[in-house]
Amino acid sequence: AWQVWNFKAKFLLLSGSRWKELFDPILWRTSPHYGLGLPLLHVWTWSFSNGPVQTIPLFNTILFNILAGGLVFSFTFQLTGNRLSFLPAILIYLIPAYLILATSQYADILIGLFLMAGLCCFVLGWNDKNSSWLILSGGLLGMLSFFKPEGLIASGLVAVLATLLLL
């Protein structure tokens, strides 16, 4: 995270009009093929502070994890209406490997969050026969490409499977 995402965020924040130099081939170790979704989220959050505070990326990561648990809870409650819908969300937070990886400030938590949100919206649209949920699902899945190249592949696979299912 420090070499790729946080470096890019600091570069975008502090470089001014020279931000395009982030794509210079000399910076090949910063994975220039990765999307700028996470660094731009950090830059946006830093705009509310006095500069690139080191705790902001960690705060963002913790926020994304809370959102993931909230999404699991709200989706299972929407589908089942059961009061025990909070159990799957709590089970996520009881997995030590998940907590370690989720707070490591990688973009994978965002890919998981947007993929899960897109799939949840697709299921709700399918169940309710509501095209608004399906449009939201497409938008959320389209956002995956802004975080990592794997997100583009995942959204493409889900789009193909969803199209086959809808046909």
Side-chain angles (χ1 to χ4, degrees), residues 42-63:
H42 290 331
V43 169
W44 178 74
T45 312
W46 279 333
S47 68
F48 298 109
S49 68
N50 292 331
V53 181
Q54 296 297 333
T55 55
I56 296 286
L58 181 61
F59 170 78
N60 287 342
T61 306
I62 292 169
L63 178 66

Side-chain angles (χ1 to χ4, degrees), residues 122 126 159-167:
F122 181 80
W126 179 265
V160 167
L161 293 174
T163 303
L164 292 174
L165 183 65
L166 290 173
L167 293 177

Side-chain angles (χ1 to χ4, degrees), residues 24-85:
D24 193 326
I26 201 163
L27 297 174
W28 65 272
R29 300 194 109 216
T30 64
S31 302
H33 61 285
Y34 280 7
L36 294 177
L38 184 59
L40 288 174
L41 282 170
H42 290 331
V43 169
W44 178 74
T45 312
W46 279 333
S47 68
F48 298 109
S49 68
N50 292 331
V53 181
Q54 296 297 333
T55 55
I56 296 286
L58 181 61
F59 170 78
N60 287 342
T61 306
I62 292 169
L63 178 66
F64 300 143
N65 284 300
I66 292 170
L67 289 173
L71 180 64
V72 169
F73 165 72
S74 62
F75 179 67
T76 54
F77 186 75
Q78 179 77 20
L79 283 181
T80 64
N82 192 339
R83 291 183 188 174
L84 297 177
S85 298

Side-chain angles (χ1 to χ4, degrees), residues 33-37 140-153 155:
H33 61 285
Y34 280 7
L36 294 177
L140 289 167
L141 292 172
M143 292 293 292
L144 290 175
S145 63
F146 290 106
F147 299 112
K148 285 179 86 176
E150 298 91 273
L152 179 63
I153 294 168
S155 65

